[in-house]
């Protein structure tokens, strides 16, 4: 049995990776080959005897030999040619943009996967019986909790589903976690911060049955909860504060300078426990929602649609129509993955090879987003795009301020004209002074600058191929240069039913949002329930949170997933109630210990017979350092900083798409170029070097030492105990106390040496695994 499950896990992991590679080829590589290569190296023309329309043809090569060595970009003639590093240069008229060349290089490095089927969409697309029966496309069916043998262990019906599988596999749940371990776990989990010694003492002293529930309710009500869980959601929606990490190099017309408003809206929405179905509608169609107070504009609705604008888009591409089609593809792909676990983007060039999605389904959705304006203008050929900004104030306020600004500008112009006269007008000229006085009077009445948000509106991008609200044609092979039949705007046929009411007014985003957020949609609620489970346990009940399609692994506990989903919807799509249901379970409160034979039988903890220890995320590591050092600034909101040393929460330290050298990236932060379904965990030397040598860490060690000296100025043993309670939530054992006293044993008669010794001890404690891992 251990061999079977190990092989099964290996197979399913390989299948998931293969699906990712197929997805990358279909969404990034095939469209690029069609656009840049097939014209000269396709079925009609083969320059140099080379075709680039199949993997076999590229391997065969042309007059210069094979063009491809899978897995070895440096040895592949194709990659050397697009790099213009030798005599053979493709394209001959100029190098491909670095981003485009990078995608092709990545494809070759990853084995040059080329899915077998490349047929375009046809009217004969057939839904298979396997697709019709696939679990994720079935209605949610809440099951009754199963009968279990061990009636003493379950704290709730959730636990019965877990225990039933454990018993079926001949395993038993772990013992309950130590109370100190449990409080540290749940406090980090719900707020991203460690418990304070006061909070730990209060919990240990509360022996009532409701003690843990009281803690959970306090944490869920804390403003820090929204800050913690917003970061999870921002990974999913490929959020970035900026493209360029260098503030001086940012072009304001195309940089997402107002993205922080969306981040702050997400924090507020989570802290208010906004129903998740409303959370979805806000992001897809918030600009179309009426304001709760009846007064336009609805600022939160506009800000929420930043979700559709803050993509990793080429900004200055010469081919503006291609660039716009990539933006629409990003919107479709992100909506599909983030909300429904669907790889909609795989149907851009042809019918989906695995899931019941046709190319016409894709362009029915594309019409919705082509009919949505997210750019002020496309820009000139090779020039930068201008993102659309919309005011967050009533029209009359905007108009009043604009009128005053025009008056001030007119007065400044008149003063400038006077100053240009010959002979020059004296500075104390009565007419000049009167103009200046009138200008200053107007400036004194000028309202504050109108806040703006990156937000969408109805209607396409002016000057584009599809500038208004309209249906769009199928793009053959994903290229706007080869247009097929026009497709009415609608939802995917199989998932939303073949007969749908036509979209007759507007872009269709409101209809799309209502369908995605419907309780009748079999995917949406399941997907977010699975994500929340993943963020609590380290792995979802479905291992591929962004893909519930045919290539995904079915859920480990399908009945539990549907039971949780049904209750989530019945609870009004409340994330807070879902969190509470999960963390109050006996399943969540298990220790990480398990018998060796059980670890062999279930090495990946698929059946949840223990709590799986895990490393803290980058943000939690940094925030915890600041908190224990007594430096953390918990103030919310506002633009992100590029300064790692600023003592605000890491949520407010910039995520920049073009900067992959940050602290967060070093500790495996999500890639903001695409929807992230989960973070990897690497262990590399630069992480250790950062903790040992970086100025930020050294500074926190110094502040921690100073805090300990203030709070325990006289007793070294008490100071060490205080340090352990702050960092680990527990007192030191005898061996740790002895070692710590050795490290921190400075000389009271030599204050500088004494201070340095305690700083070294603080640094050692901050670098320990126990500080950055959850048990």
């Amino acid at each position: 049995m251990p061999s079977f499950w190990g092989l099964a896990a290996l197979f399913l992991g390989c299948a998931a990776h293969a699906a990712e590679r197929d997805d990358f080829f279909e969404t990034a590589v095939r469209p690029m080959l069609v656009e840049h290569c097939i014209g000269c190296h396709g079925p009609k023309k083969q320059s140099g005897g080379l075709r680039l329309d199949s993997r076999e043809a590229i391997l065969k090569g042309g007059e210069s030999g094979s063009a491809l060595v899978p897995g070895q970009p440096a040895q592949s003639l194709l990659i050397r040619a697009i790099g213009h590093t030798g005599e053979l240069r493709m394209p001959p008229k100029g190098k491909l943009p670095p981003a485009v060349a990078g995608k092709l290089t990545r494809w070759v490095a990853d084995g040059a996967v080329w899915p077998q089927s490349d047929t375009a969409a046809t009217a004969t697309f057939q839904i298979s019986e396997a697709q019709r029966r696939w679990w994720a496309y079935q209605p949610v069916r809440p099951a009754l909790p199963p009968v279990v043998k061990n009636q003493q262990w379950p704290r709730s019906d959730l636990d019965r589903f877990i225990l039933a599988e454990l018993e079926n596999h001949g395993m038993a749940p772990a013992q309950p976690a130590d109370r100190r371990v449990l409080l540290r776990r749940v406090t980090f989990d719900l707020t991203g911060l460690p418990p304070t010694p006061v909070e730990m003492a209060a919990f240990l002293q509360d022996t009532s049955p409701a003690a843990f529930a009281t803690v959970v309710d306090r944490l869920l009500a804390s403003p820090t909860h929204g800050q913690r869980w917003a970061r999870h959601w921002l990974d999913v929606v490929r959020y970035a504060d900026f493209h360029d990490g260098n503030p001086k190099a940012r072009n304001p017309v195309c940089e997402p300078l107002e993205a922080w408003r969306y981040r702050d809206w997400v924090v507020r929405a989570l802290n208010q426990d906004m129903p998740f179905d409303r959370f979805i509608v806000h992001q897809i169609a918030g600009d179309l929602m009426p304001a709760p107070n009846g007064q336009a504009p609805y600022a939160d609705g506009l800000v929420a649609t930043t979700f559709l604008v803050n993509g990793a888009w080429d900004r200055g591409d010469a081919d503006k129509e291609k660039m716009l089609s990539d933006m629409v593809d990003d919107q479709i792909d992100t909506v599909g993955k983030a909300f429904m676990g669907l790889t909609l983007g795989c149907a851009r060039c042809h019918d989906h090879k695995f899931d019941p999605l046709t190319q016409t389904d894709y362009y029915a959705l594309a019409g919705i987003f082509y009919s949505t304006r997210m750019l002020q203008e496309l820009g000139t050929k090779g020039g930068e795009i201008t993102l659309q900004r919309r005011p967050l104030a009533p029209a009359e306020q905007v108009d009043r301020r604009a009128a005053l600004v025009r008056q001030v500008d007119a007065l400044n112009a008149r003063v400038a004209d006077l100053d240009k006269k010959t002979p020059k007008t004296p500075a104390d000229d009565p007419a000049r002074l009167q103009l200046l006085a009138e200008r200053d009077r107007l400036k004194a009445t000028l309202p504050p600058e109108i806040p703006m948000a990156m937000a969408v509106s109805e209607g396409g991008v002016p000057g584009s191929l599809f500038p208004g609200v309209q249906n769009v044609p199928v793009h053959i092979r994903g290229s706007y240069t080869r247009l097929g039949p026009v497709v009415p705007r609608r939802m995917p046929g199989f998932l939303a039913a073949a007969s749908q009411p036509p979209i007759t007014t507007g872009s269709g985003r409101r209809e799309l949002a209502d369908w995605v957020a419907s309780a009748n949609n079999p995917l949406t609620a399941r997907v977010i329930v699975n994500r929340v489970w993943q963020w609590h346990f380290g792995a979802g009940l479905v291992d591929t949170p962004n893909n519930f399609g045919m290539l995904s692994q079915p859920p480990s506990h399908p009945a539990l997933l549907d039971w949780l989903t049904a209750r989530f919807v019945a609870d009004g799509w409340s994330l807070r109630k879902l969190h509470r249901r999960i963390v109050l379970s006996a399943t969540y409160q298990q220790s990480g210990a398990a018998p060796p034979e059980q670890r062999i039988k279930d090495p990946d903890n698929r059946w949840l017979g223990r709590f799986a220890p895990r490393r803290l995320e980058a943000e939690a590591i940094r925030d915890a350092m600041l908190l224990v050092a007594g430096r953390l600034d918990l103030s919310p909101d506002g633009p992100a900083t590029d300064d790692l040393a600023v003592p605000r929460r890491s949520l407010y330290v910039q995520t920049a798409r073009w900067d992959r050298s940050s602290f967060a990236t070093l500790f495996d932060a999500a890639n903001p170029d695409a929807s992230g379904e989960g973070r990897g965990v690497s262990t590399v030397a630069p992480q250790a070097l950062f903790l040992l040598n970086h100025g930020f860490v050294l500074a926190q060690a110094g502040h921690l030492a100073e805090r300990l000296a203030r709070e325990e100025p006289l007793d070294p043993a008490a100071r060490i105990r205080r340090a352990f309670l702050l960092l680990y939530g527990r007192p030191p054992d005898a061996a740790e106390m002895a070692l710590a006293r050795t490290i921190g044993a400075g000389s009271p008669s030599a204050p500088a040496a004494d201070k340095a010794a305690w700083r070294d001890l603080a640094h050692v404690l901050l670098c320990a695994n126990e500080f950055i891992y959850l048990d």
Side-chain angles (χ1 to χ4, degrees), residues 489-543:
R489 302 190 304 285
R490 58 169 174 78
M491 311 311 129
F494 172 74
L495 297 172
S499 59
Q500 303 173 34
I503 297 172
T504 56
T505 59
S507 64
R509 277 185 296 114
R510 187 56 201 254
E511 291 86 344
L512 173 63
D514 288 343
W515 172 68
V516 172
S518 169
N520 294 324
N521 188 317
L523 292 161
T524 308
R526 279 185 176 126
V527 166
I528 187 57
V529 166
N530 186 66
R531 290 193 193 280
V532 173
W533 186 277
Q534 170 201 6
W535 291 325
H536 279 302
F537 288 96
L541 297 170
V542 178
D543 272 348

Side-chain angles (χ1 to χ4, degrees), residues 275-516:
F276 192 75
D277 55 346
R278 304 297 295 165
F279 185 70
I280 294 171
V281 173
H282 273 73
Q283 293 173 82
I284 297 176
D287 59 309
L288 306 177
M289 298 175 68
N293 62 7
Q295 297 181 1
Y298 179 30
D300 279 357
L302 290 174
V303 169
T305 66
T306 298
F307 160 73
L308 294 173
V309 185
N310 192 7
W313 302 336
D314 290 333
R315 308 182 330 183
D317 200 311
D319 189 342
K320 297 300 183 184
E321 297 298 342
K322 169 63 167 55
M323 186 172 64
L324 185 59
S325 68
D326 289 343
M327 293 176 183
V328 167
D329 180 69
D330 169 72
Q331 292 169 329
I332 294 171
D333 188 59
T334 306
V335 166
K337 289 177 177 176
F339 298 124
M340 296 183 291
L342 280 178
T343 55
L344 296 172
C346 290
R348 179 181 183 178
C349 301
H350 50 72
D351 295 334
H352 203 295
K353 295 193 310 303
F354 307 106
D355 296 331
L357 297 163
T358 66
Q359 193 181 21
T360 53
D361 286 332
Y362 177 94
Y363 285 97
L365 292 171
I368 293 173
F369 291 107
Y370 272 119
S371 298
T372 299
R373 183 174 183 180
M374 64 282 196
L375 301 181
Q376 190 67 29
E377 59 180 40
L378 275 170
T380 59
K381 184 176 182 179
E384 300 276 23
I385 59 174
T386 299
L387 296 173
Q388 175 169 265
R389 272 90 177 178
R390 296 186 63 182
L392 301 178
E396 57 272 17
Q397 184 177 331
V398 175
D399 293 343
R400 178 173 176 269
R401 190 180 193 282
L404 286 172
V405 169
R406 286 194 296 271
Q407 293 179 55
V408 170
D409 289 344
L411 290 168
N412 281 331
R414 291 176 64 185
V415 172
D417 288 342
L418 284 176
D419 291 343
K420 292 177 184 176
K421 287 186 175 181
T422 304
K424 185 175 182 180
T425 304
D428 59 353
D429 179 78
R432 187 178 187 278
L433 291 176
Q434 184 177 358
L435 290 173
L436 290 174
E438 177 64 11
R439 182 201 64 182
D440 293 343
R441 184 189 68 79
L442 289 175
K443 288 177 69 175
T445 64
L446 194 65
E449 190 170 342
I450 303 295
M452 306 291 283
M454 300 190 310
V456 300
S457 59
E458 293 288 76
V461 177
S464 70
L465 201 60
F466 308 109
V469 173
Q470 62 196 92
N471 300 321
V472 301
V474 169
H475 293 24
I476 299 170
R477 296 283 187 253
S479 173
Y480 75 91
T481 62
R482 299 178 61 197
L483 301 180
V486 173
V487 183
R489 302 190 304 285
R490 58 169 174 78
M491 311 311 129
F494 172 74
L495 297 172
S499 59
Q500 303 173 34
I503 297 172
T504 56
T505 59
S507 64
R509 277 185 296 114
R510 187 56 201 254
E511 291 86 344
L512 173 63
D514 288 343
W515 172 68
V516 172

Side-chain angles (χ1 to χ4, degrees), residues 64 84 374 599:
S64 300
H84 287 210
M374 64 282 196
R599 288 182 177 273

